[in-house]
Amino acid sequence: MADSGIERQELPSPRYEHGGDDYVFVELAEEMSFDANFKAQAITQEIRARDIPGILEVAPSNASYLIQFDPGVVTPADVIAELEALEDDIDLTDYQWDATVYDIPVLYEDPWTHDTLMDFRDRHQDPDATDLEYSARINGFDSVEAFIDHHAGAPHMVTMVGFVPGLPFCFQMRPRDEQIEVPKYEQPRTATPARAVGFGGAFTAIYPVFGAGGYQLYGRTPVEVLDVEQELADFEESMVLPNPGDILNFRKIDREEYDAIREAIEDGSYEYTSEVVEFEPDEFFQHPHEYNERLLEVLA
């Protein structure tokens, strides 16, 4: 089958807003798209690379980004002028960035998230189905197995990290007509296991810690995405893994592999399977399926 490419989205003019005395918020579009997110990734990466005096923090989001600055060093007007210049300079057709591709093993239909979702059926759109059964049905899949294969069948881009520390929001790297969409619970749960793999809207999320949540629950990964004490080798530079712009391959595993990985995590010997690639947005836009295959080949 020919790889027909992804239709590009024309973005509106950015909207610049002040946040108190030391923040600038920039909205690139009202809804998430690859164009909007890749532009946010590119601009925020360039800001970090240029080490602009007075810039304290850079936080990309799905279709926007936030800049924290020191008003004693740089004025809000100068910050916005710099951002406007970057907006004009960056063209995604010739922009690349270094992205880490991570293998993320997932035990789909695991016992822990299953017990949790069954405890909260009264808050769900379909009390008589599991979250996976409901998601498969409303997206037109014949079986839960086919739905899981689709979810794990293409890589996911980490579009932002937030809501709680270390929680990655991931957008599957498929053309729009192949993407799944599922609403959140009608009322949020008061419990979600740490490392649960959930889905809401068009985003996969990995819950870094135990807590409340409203995403549909599909499985659980044995690996950590937050290591506050930075005890694992892969967290030496940051307590958060992965970061915006990185790419995740959700790989189906069985209970035996899950337990083996958890044992290695707990004794501190586990090392993540990952590889750094030069991500090329234009190549992805033109040939998404072929490009995704090449991305995942680096993990083989």
Side-chain angles (χ1 to χ4, degrees), residues 213-256:
Y215 277 22
Q216 310 288 333
L217 296 177
Y218 293 168
R220 196 180 195 193
T221 178
V223 303
E224 305 290 347
V225 293
L226 178 70
D227 181 4
V228 176
E229 302 299 327
Q230 295 178 263
E231 295 176 338
L232 294 167
D234 292 274
F235 292 85
E236 182 177 355
E237 295 183 2
S238 171
M239 68 177 65
V240 173
L241 179 160
N243 289 295
D246 287 337
I247 297 164
L248 307 188
N249 175 48
F250 292 112
R251 177 174 58 86
K252 295 186 296 181
I253 61 171
D254 59 20
R255 178 63 185 269
E256 183 179 5

Side-chain angles (χ1 to χ4, degrees), residues 254-294:
D254 59 20
R255 178 63 185 269
E256 183 179 5
E257 184 173 357
Y258 178 97
D259 289 342
I261 293 173
R262 277 313 298 169
E263 184 177 344
I265 290 278
E266 288 164 7
D267 69 22
S269 64
Y270 185 78
E271 294 184 3
Y272 290 70
T273 300
S274 64
E275 193 69 40
V276 177
V277 301
E278 187 177 73
F279 179 69
E280 301 175 271
D282 192 51
E283 280 293 305
F284 169 70
F285 282 127
Q286 293 189 47
H287 309 288
H289 299 100
E290 294 176 8
Y291 192 68
N292 285 342
E293 289 180 7
R294 297 205 301 272

Side-chain angles (χ1 to χ4, degrees), residues 121-190:
R121 299 326 289 164
D122 60 331
R123 304 186 181 206
H124 195 272
Q125 293 87 348
D126 188 348
D128 297 323
T130 67
D131 293 4
L132 275 166
E133 289 169 343
Y134 169 71
S135 299
R137 177 174 58 80
I138 67 172
N139 280 279
F141 288 85
D142 294 333
S143 66
V144 165
E145 291 74 18
F147 181 81
I148 291 172
D149 287 343
H150 188 85
H151 181 264
H156 292 64
M157 172 72 70
V158 179
T159 57
M160 63 170 284
V161 174
F163 186 69
V164 297
L167 192 157
F169 286 85
C170 313
F171 197 63
Q172 192 170 41
M173 297 169 64
R174 293 182 181 271
R176 187 66 174 264
D177 62 352
E178 297 178 20
Q179 292 173 2
I180 55 178
E181 292 189 20
V182 184
K184 295 187 290 186
Y185 276 45
E186 291 182 340
Q187 291 181 282
R189 299 178 303 274
T190 56

Side-chain angles (χ1 to χ4, degrees), residues 108-120:
Y108 288 91
E109 298 184 285
D110 68 284
W112 306 281
T113 60
H114 178 77
D115 287 349
T116 298
L117 67 89
M118 295 306 294
D119 286 341
F120 292 94

